Amino acid sequence: MKTQTFILELPVKVDDSEVQTILRKFEYARQLYNAVLGSALGRLHQMRQDIRWKEARELPKGKDRSALFRELVRQYRLTEYDLHATVARHRCGSGRKSELGINETQKIATRVYQGIHRYQLGLGGRPRFKSASRGLHSIEGKTNTTGLKFKIEKSVLDWCRHDYRVLIDPDDEYIQRALRKDGENEFKRIKYCRLKRKMIKGRQRFFVDLILEGSAPIKHVYAPVTERLSIDPGPQEIAVFSDRFAGKIKVAPTAQVDEAKIRRIQRSMDRSLRKNNPSAYQGNGTLTKGAKLKKTKGYQKRANKLRECHRVASATRRCEHGKVINLLLSLAGDIRVEKNTWKAFQRGHFGKSLGKSGISGFFEHLRSKAESAGSKVVEVSPYQLKLSQYDPYTEMCTKKSLNQRWHRLGETNEWIQRDIMSALLLQCADIEQEKHDPPKIKKTLEGAKQLLRDAGYVIGKPSSNGNFYDCAFAPEPQALTPEKVRLEILCGSSDSHLPLLLRDVSQQEADEKANTWSKETFPLQRGVV
């Protein structure tokens, strides 16, 4: 029976000799992975040459077709347990049996099986072998009793008869609450461990992931599902409309790479390759196919510097994603999002913008966090509602070009920012029947119009002669950072559960409410919209 699970990441302190030992084990795991993958690909090729495989493909979908495929998979030993037996034979025949436990090698075989299975069903591309330069970045066990074992009382990671010290901050309240059961001195059960390696500032760093049974400690107080919020996503910003806030928020405001610095590093790396490999390039300056390049120590240093630039940007981006997600979940537990195909955006003119913001990963993180918080995220298809085209005053859809950033409110002389209008329409729409509710839209818009006008999202300025001019090309208000939005909504208070600082209540009342409120029942405070 599967139980609720969460992950706690802790750093591992190692010396130089231990680093070399662990890296040797990772290299051995890479070799086992490639050996099992080669065996699996060979068996898959043989199976696809079988006449029964071709007959099974021609059968209509049903039980007979599935049964014949399963029989072929068992015959050619492509099940997960067959690959477990294969990796065990490779492990015994390598003469390095003591370097990795059987559980870790079986998990390597499981990873190979998942890639082969997706490739077999046409759900993914052909699995590739791991090169020595990239290697594996994680090794995990199956239980906390053999192989990779974390001894929680001693704060050490026991692996193949060697103990590695794991750093646990005794003053970090979240870690202490994550490791212990609620209201008890006993520790939570550890299902299994995962050892990861990361290159940070040119050095190999190691971390252990503890897969713990239960739920993660409540770090933020989230809103109930009775509160609704709608999002119209863009390449780097999201337009938000709810009862408490309406405006545009930057998804990753400071997670920007220094493009000029990266270009300088890349040019320097290219000059190094051309200088030290003159025979590898043709007369027109292009690289000869199949040429082996000599990479100097200086080149490796520049490559590490380039890798560090992208790592810092990625870590900053994920941290800022978490801030925005915590803010959104504190506003509403029912979040509606207009569904977009980000691959199509990449093929268009927004590839660089999507890379800077990581908007696709943002929504994956939002769905995951909402699920663990008891909230819900509903993706709404834009093809029926046509949010950017619909006018509630005329109840008609008018297609707009991408550069038309303002939407005219019927026949009036007022204009509303296009993305905010889309979020408002999504907020009032009946998503089950996929239709709009014009009276509800007008009522909501009239109630929020003054606040939207103050924020600059509704405009309609008269000219010198008293007539209204065309506002279609007026400048848009800048999107806010999560910190500014929090200041506007919560007057600077954090949504952390320790302590809850509330407006319009005394400190004693705030402490009483902080002790009585729970994750499921959080009375939201109205105010902005």
Side-chain angles (χ1 to χ4, degrees), residues 373-514:
S375 305
K376 63 178 182 178
V377 176
V378 181
E379 291 187 327
V380 181
S381 175
Y383 296 106
Q384 293 295 331
L385 294 176
K386 298 180 180 179
L387 299 173
S388 62
Q389 305 175 17
Y390 183 75
D391 188 343
Y393 290 89
T394 61
E395 299 185 19
M396 296 179 62
C397 293
T398 304
K399 192 170 183 179
K400 305 183 185 69
S401 60
L402 195 60
N403 62 351
Q404 291 181 267
R405 306 309 304 160
W406 295 89
H407 175 89
R408 188 172 185 177
L409 297 177
E411 298 299 327
T412 66
N413 290 314
E414 290 185 312
W415 299 70
I416 185 171
Q417 206 279 332
R418 173 177 175 170
D419 300 329
I420 299 296
M421 186 62 183
S422 298
L424 188 151
L425 294 175
L426 185 58
Q427 179 82 353
C428 302
D430 185 350
I431 59 175
E432 294 182 356
Q433 299 184 8
E434 294 185 333
K435 65 179 184 180
H436 293 285
D437 186 355
K440 184 178 180 181
I441 295 171
K442 294 176 184 178
K443 182 179 178 181
T444 305
L445 181 57
E446 291 300 325
K449 187 178 291 185
Q450 183 58 48
L451 293 169
L452 292 173
R453 189 181 291 112
D454 294 340
Y457 294 110
V458 172
I459 57 176
K461 299 179 181 179
S463 60
S464 57
N465 58 4
N467 298 324
F468 284 83
Y469 68 88
D470 188 358
C471 303
F473 300 100
E476 299 182 56
Q478 289 189 350
L480 302 177
T481 62
E483 291 77 11
K484 290 184 179 179
V485 175
R486 192 179 300 281
L487 281 172
E488 185 176 350
I489 299 174
L490 303 176
C491 291
S493 65
S494 171
D495 62 349
S496 175
H497 73 106
L498 290 175
L500 290 172
L501 301 179
L502 304 175
R503 289 186 292 176
D504 304 327
V505 295
S506 64
Q507 182 63 43
Q508 182 178 0
E509 293 175 350
D511 293 338
E512 292 176 357
K513 292 189 177 184

Side-chain angles (χ1 to χ4, degrees), residues 250-376:
K250 295 180 180 179
V251 171
T254 63
Q256 306 293 333
V257 295
D258 189 346
E259 295 183 3
K261 180 180 179 181
I262 287 178
R263 284 197 300 271
R264 289 194 297 269
I265 295 174
Q266 289 174 337
R267 288 199 301 268
S268 179
M269 292 169 64
D270 184 65
R271 290 194 299 269
S272 176
L273 287 179
R274 292 180 181 275
K275 180 180 178 181
N276 294 282
N277 303 275
S279 60
Y281 291 87
Q282 300 177 5
N284 58 0
T286 59
L287 187 66
T288 304
K289 185 176 181 180
K292 293 185 178 180
L293 299 175
K294 177 184 176 182
K295 298 178 180 178
T296 63
K297 290 184 178 180
Y299 178 89
Q300 296 293 347
K301 288 182 180 179
R302 298 182 190 97
N304 290 336
K305 189 181 295 185
L306 180 63
R307 188 182 298 112
E308 180 67 13
C309 290
H310 288 291
R311 185 199 65 81
V312 171
S314 176
T316 306
R317 187 183 305 116
R318 184 164 181 82
C319 179
E320 293 183 341
H321 285 179
K323 291 180 181 179
V324 178
I325 290 169
N326 288 329
L327 175 63
L328 296 178
L329 291 177
S330 67
L331 293 174
D334 179 9
I335 298 178
R336 295 179 174 182
V337 181
E338 182 183 5
K339 187 176 181 180
N340 285 323
T341 306
W342 300 113
K343 286 292 183 181
F345 276 73
Q346 273 185 320
R347 291 191 295 267
H349 303 285
F350 303 101
K352 187 173 289 188
S353 297
L354 294 177
K356 292 178 180 178
S357 65
I359 191 71
S360 178
F362 169 80
F363 284 108
E364 289 182 7
H365 192 184
L366 175 61
R367 287 190 291 269
S368 175
K369 202 156 192 176
E371 182 179 358
S372 63
S375 305
K376 63 178 182 178

Side-chain angles (χ1 to χ4, degrees), residues 90-116:
H90 285 302
R91 174 173 173 264
C92 293
S94 66
R96 303 168 65 182
K97 185 177 177 180
S98 60
E99 291 194 16
L100 280 180
I102 187 62
N103 282 359
E104 293 89 84
T105 54
Q106 286 181 353
K107 273 300 188 76
I108 292 172
T110 298
R111 195 182 303 184
V112 174
Y113 167 76
Q114 292 170 349
I116 288 291

Side-chain angles (χ1 to χ4, degrees), residues 513-525:
K513 292 189 177 184
N515 293 328
T516 56
W517 287 359
S518 63
K519 180 181 177 183
E520 291 78 14
T521 57
F522 175 52
L524 289 175
Q525 182 183 4

Side-chain angles (χ1 to χ4, degrees), residues 56 59-71:
L59 291 175
K61 291 184 178 181
K63 293 183 179 179
D64 295 339
R65 186 174 187 262
S66 301
L68 184 53
F69 276 132
R70 283 195 298 268
E71 182 182 349

Side-chain angles (χ1 to χ4, degrees), residues 35-52:
V36 178
L37 179 59
S39 301
L41 288 173
R43 295 173 190 175
L44 180 61
H45 180 71
Q46 291 178 357
M47 183 177 68
R48 287 179 169 177
Q49 300 304 314
D50 195 317
I51 188 65
R52 291 182 298 167

